[in-house]
Amino acid sequence: MCYRHGKKSKKGLGKAKVAPRIRSPKSRTLLNWYDQNHRILPWRALPGMTPDPYHVWLSEVMLQQTTVAAVGPYYQKFLRRWPTLQKLARASLDEVRQMWAGLGYYRRAQSLHECAKIICKDYNGYFPKTEAELLKLPGFGPYTAAAVTSIAFHRPANVVDGNVERVIARLFALHTPLPEAKAEIREKAAGLLPTDRFGDYAQALMDLGATICTPRNPKCGLCPWNQSCLARSLGLADQLPRRKKTIAKPVRRAIAFFLTNKNGEILLRQRPDKGLLGGMMEIPSTLWRADSMPAIASVLKEAPVKTQWVLLPGRIKHVFSHFELELAVATGSAKGAVRGKWVSPSKLEKEALPSVMRKVVRHALKLV
């Protein structure tokens, strides 16, 4: 602040930006853009075709916290294996976990399987058509219920994902940072819902955020709502939505025990059903500690067998949603019976190994 003669000077304070007059955003404008520019995705029904609720639901579950590029191959592989909801319900949970391996957020696989069984048992194999009923099913939150309601059943629903949050925050120049802004964003988004084509509109909003109103360098010149966007008019599009400063994730550390037998097979164990990576297969390891990497001599009691363990050079790092994991890998050979499952390297792809455990295997096989 500049002072002169003991008084605050008005010089240099500048004038606050005045919100310009802009057009109100129209859903029809966005739908017209979508008709010409929609993405072709494996789970989307072609124009004129009725969406399959199973396909819509499966894709939405897979897309939670996962990119479109990553989901595509998994979605197609899943449908080849279980083309109908009924066939998925008859599968074993272990089979579903194996197919899900590498996609992450593994609780989704268990909820998916559980939900399929409930729909077949309690709803005669037909998805409920209302958000309220869908929310009673495992794995259905507000977003998934709204997405299935609008896309699969052509009913009005306020579908708000990360892409939509960004579009709405910019459209109305909302300065409240996320996640505090979520309620206001949902309210603003609800006010824009069309009177028809509910599924197309929901997907149009998602496509707009994914392809035009991107997190960095938004393509405002190509946006169908650019004359209605307050953030663009104020020159703030690339600054919104605001987010609270992220806190550095805590780091946990452990030693993974890569054990082989005389046949070259690798020891795997199944993790408990509850908890992180629940029910998935793993390379046995020490506890994941929130302190420095333990010395191997101090944790031998946590190893699967007594043998000569050799610590490999290098570390593996993997990021989970709430913490980072750093793993050292020790190798050893087994001579007697060991609790677990022996799997040859050539058959590991068929196991429900999460990404972090596949990193361990690749690291060990490269250095052994």
Side-chain angles (χ1 to χ4, degrees):
M1 187 73 70
C2 179
Y3 291 86
R4 185 177 296 168
H5 304 300
K7 295 181 179 181
K8 293 181 182 178
S9 170
K10 294 182 180 180
K11 184 178 180 180
L13 290 180
K15 294 182 179 180
K17 286 187 177 181
V18 178
R21 290 176 178 267
I22 58 174
R23 301 175 186 173
S24 297
K26 303 295 183 183
S27 59
R28 182 59 55 190
T29 303
L30 183 61
L31 284 166
N32 290 340
W33 171 84
Y34 179 73
D35 288 339
Q36 300 298 320
N37 300 280
H38 61 272
R39 291 180 293 175
I40 306 298
L41 300 173
W43 43 85
R44 279 189 181 168
L46 296 174
M49 295 184 65
T50 302
D52 185 322
Y54 173 51
H55 294 180
V56 175
W57 166 65
L58 177 61
S59 68
E60 290 299 340
V61 174
M62 287 186 166
L63 286 164
Q64 294 168 12
Q65 306 293 327
T66 311
T67 65
V68 167
V71 165
Y74 280 91
Y75 172 82
Q76 292 171 326
K77 182 174 65 172
F78 224 84
L79 280 187
R80 285 195 296 269
R81 182 75 173 270
W82 300 297
T84 66
L85 182 74
Q86 290 74 15
K87 289 188 176 182
L88 175 61
R90 291 195 293 268
S92 71
L93 179 55
D94 283 343
E95 288 177 308
V96 176
R97 284 171 172 158
Q98 288 168 10
M99 293 289 282
W100 200 273
L103 196 55
Y105 296 89
Y106 295 99
R107 175 66 187 172
R108 293 181 295 172
Q110 186 170 335
S111 296
L112 192 84
H113 184 249
E114 185 180 354
C115 183
K117 292 195 296 182
I118 290 173
I119 292 174
C120 288
K121 178 177 179 291
D122 298 341
Y123 295 88
N124 296 317
Y126 293 96
F127 279 83
K129 295 184 178 181
T130 67
E131 289 182 78
E133 282 296 313
L134 288 170
L135 284 169
K136 297 176 183 179
L137 297 171
F140 270 92
Y143 165 76
T144 308
V148 172
T149 299
S150 65
I151 299 171
F153 301 121
H154 306 294
R155 296 189 174 196
N158 192 18
V159 184
V160 180
D161 68 352
N163 282 320
V164 176
E165 286 178 345
R166 185 168 58 256
V167 170
I168 299 300
R170 289 172 176 171
L171 196 61
F172 294 95
L174 304 180
H175 289 259
T176 304
L178 288 168
E180 284 82 356
K182 285 180 178 289
E184 187 178 6
I185 287 172
R186 289 190 61 81
E187 181 182 351
K188 296 288 189 184
L192 298 177
L193 290 176
T195 56
D196 62 355
R197 296 187 64 186
F198 307 111
D200 285 346
Y201 177 76
Q203 293 175 111
L205 265 180
M206 296 177 201
D207 279 10
L208 185 66
T211 64
I212 301 295
C213 197
T214 49
R216 295 180 180 84
N217 303 315
K219 306 175 184 68
C220 296
L222 300 177
C223 179
W225 275 346
N226 59 15
Q227 298 302 310
S228 302
C229 182
L230 186 55
R232 175 180 180 267
S233 298
L234 294 172
L236 298 173
D238 59 349
Q239 300 175 38
L240 298 177
R242 303 192 190 282
R243 297 182 183 274
K244 279 192 170 181
K245 278 190 175 181
T246 56
I247 301 173
K249 293 181 179 181
V251 179
R252 299 181 188 175
R253 297 176 176 88
I255 296 176
F257 296 104
F258 189 82
L259 188 68
T260 56
N261 61 17
K262 62 180 181 180
N263 298 319
E265 296 169 320
I266 302 162
L267 180 71
L268 301 181
R269 287 183 179 172
Q270 188 170 29
R271 291 178 64 83
D273 281 339
K274 293 185 178 180
L276 187 64
L277 306 180
M280 302 296 285
M281 301 301 287
E282 70 171 354
I283 302 295
S285 73
T286 63
L287 292 175
W288 298 359
R289 295 171 169 83
D291 50 22
S292 59
M293 183 67 72
I296 190 166
S298 67
V299 292
L300 289 179
K301 61 183 179 182
E302 298 179 51
V305 294
K306 290 183 178 180
T307 190
Q308 183 68 37
W309 292 103
V310 178
L311 203 59
L312 296 177
R315 302 277 175 86
I316 293 162
K317 294 183 180 180
H318 190 82
V319 179
F320 290 97
S321 57
H322 296 95
F323 68 94
E324 295 181 9
L325 179 64
E326 184 178 336
L327 290 171
V329 181
T331 61
S333 299
K335 296 180 180 178
V338 185
R339 180 178 62 85
K341 180 179 182 181
W342 293 105
V343 180
S344 67
S346 63
K347 295 183 179 179
L348 285 174
E349 286 298 321
K350 297 180 180 179
E351 296 296 327
L353 275 175
S355 298
V356 61
M357 296 302 159
R358 294 186 184 277
K359 289 181 182 179
V360 172
V361 171
R362 287 195 297 267
H363 182 74
L365 290 177
K366 181 180 178 181
L367 297 177
V368 170

